Amino acid sequence: KPVKGNGKEELLFQSSYTKYPTDWTRDGKHILFGSLAEGTGSDVWALSLLDKKAGPLVQTIHQEGYASVSPDGKWLAYQSDESGFNEIYVQPFEPGSSETKRRVQLSNDGGGIPRWRADGAELFYMTGSGHMMAVAVHPKNGIFEFDPPQSLFHIRPMKPFSNLYDVSPDGQRFLLNAPLERTSISGGNSSDVIVLTNWT
């Protein structure tokens, strides 16, 4: 639906699986979304706005999601738990291609929800412990090269990676959906119920 005027909502794609949008390419040609399917769990899909056709970009027995495309449209970043923990991976963004992509693991101690700086020179992600990480990237000749991840700041985490956030174009300001406090005496989530037995 257009954000200006009184345009009507348009159905872009329909299937029986649960879907959640995660990114829209800068050229306006593709919308990325997570698709929850039987057998493969959460997968990364891309919808072409030219022909209204959608297809998987990353579809395995593992849980992949929260995909984001680099500003130049060449690289796809997403999280996957194939190692047993959520980590950030980057591979070429080639919608419509079913070939296996050469990819690299960007995070080294857990990570989720990748976001690109507007100029594509930096990639951000969250760790399960609540650290906002930044990685300087400098792809060269079709090879995705990057520096070691650096921690920017820490917030109270909510597992699994439910801390949705966005970053300003210059990468200097962050808008985060994060808990301000916890009321549980155990230090867990405020929704925890603690039962103490045999206390007498």
Side-chain angles (χ1 to χ4, degrees):
K1 180 179 181 178
V3 295
K4 295 182 179 179
N6 298 318
K8 296 182 179 180
E9 293 180 353
E10 178 185 0
L11 178 62
L12 300 178
F13 176 71
Q14 187 174 20
S15 73
S16 60
Y17 301 127
T18 300
K19 295 169 285 296
Y20 60 96
T22 61
D23 199 11
W24 195 333
T25 57
R26 297 290 179 90
D27 59 12
K29 295 181 179 179
H30 294 90
I31 292 178
L32 273 65
F33 62 94
S35 178
L36 307 178
E38 296 179 7
T40 60
S42 177
D43 304 311
V44 176
W45 282 54
L47 168 68
S48 170
L49 295 180
L50 299 178
D51 55 17
K52 303 299 190 294
K53 293 183 179 180
L57 296 175
V58 186
Q59 187 176 44
T60 72
I61 61 174
H62 306 288
Q63 305 294 319
E64 301 96 9
Y66 294 102
S68 181
V69 177
S70 61
D72 62 6
K74 295 182 179 180
W75 301 98
L76 173 72
Y78 61 95
Q79 71 180 53
S80 172
D81 68 353
E82 69 173 76
S83 67
F85 302 93
N86 278 312
E87 298 284 1
I88 299 298
Y89 297 87
V90 177
Q91 68 181 40
F93 176 61
E94 299 173 354
S97 172
S98 60
E99 297 180 2
T100 301
K101 308 295 189 301
R102 181 178 181 181
R103 63 196 183 111
V104 296
Q105 181 177 326
L106 198 76
S107 59
N108 53 28
D109 193 24
I113 318 179
R115 295 283 187 271
W116 297 87
R117 200 171 74 188
D119 60 2
E122 202 168 21
L123 187 65
F124 306 97
Y125 66 88
M126 291 287 297
T127 69
S129 59
H131 287 275
M132 177 65 70
M133 307 297 290
V135 180
V137 302
H138 33 85
K140 186 177 182 181
N141 298 325
I143 299 176
F144 193 82
E145 298 180 349
F146 57 94
D147 296 340
Q150 303 293 324
S151 177
L152 297 180
F153 56 86
H154 181 264
I155 64 170
R156 292 187 176 97
M158 290 182 65
K159 299 180 181 180
F161 300 103
S162 57
N163 300 68
L164 300 180
Y165 71 94
D166 207 352
V167 58
S168 62
D170 61 3
Q172 298 301 304
R173 292 181 297 167
F174 294 82
L175 180 66
L176 302 103
N177 178 19
L180 295 179
E181 63 183 16
R182 287 179 173 167
T183 59
S184 171
I185 60 174
S186 69
N189 291 330
S190 59
S191 60
D192 290 347
V193 176
I194 302 174
V195 178
L196 179 62
T197 62
N198 301 320
W199 61 276
T200 56

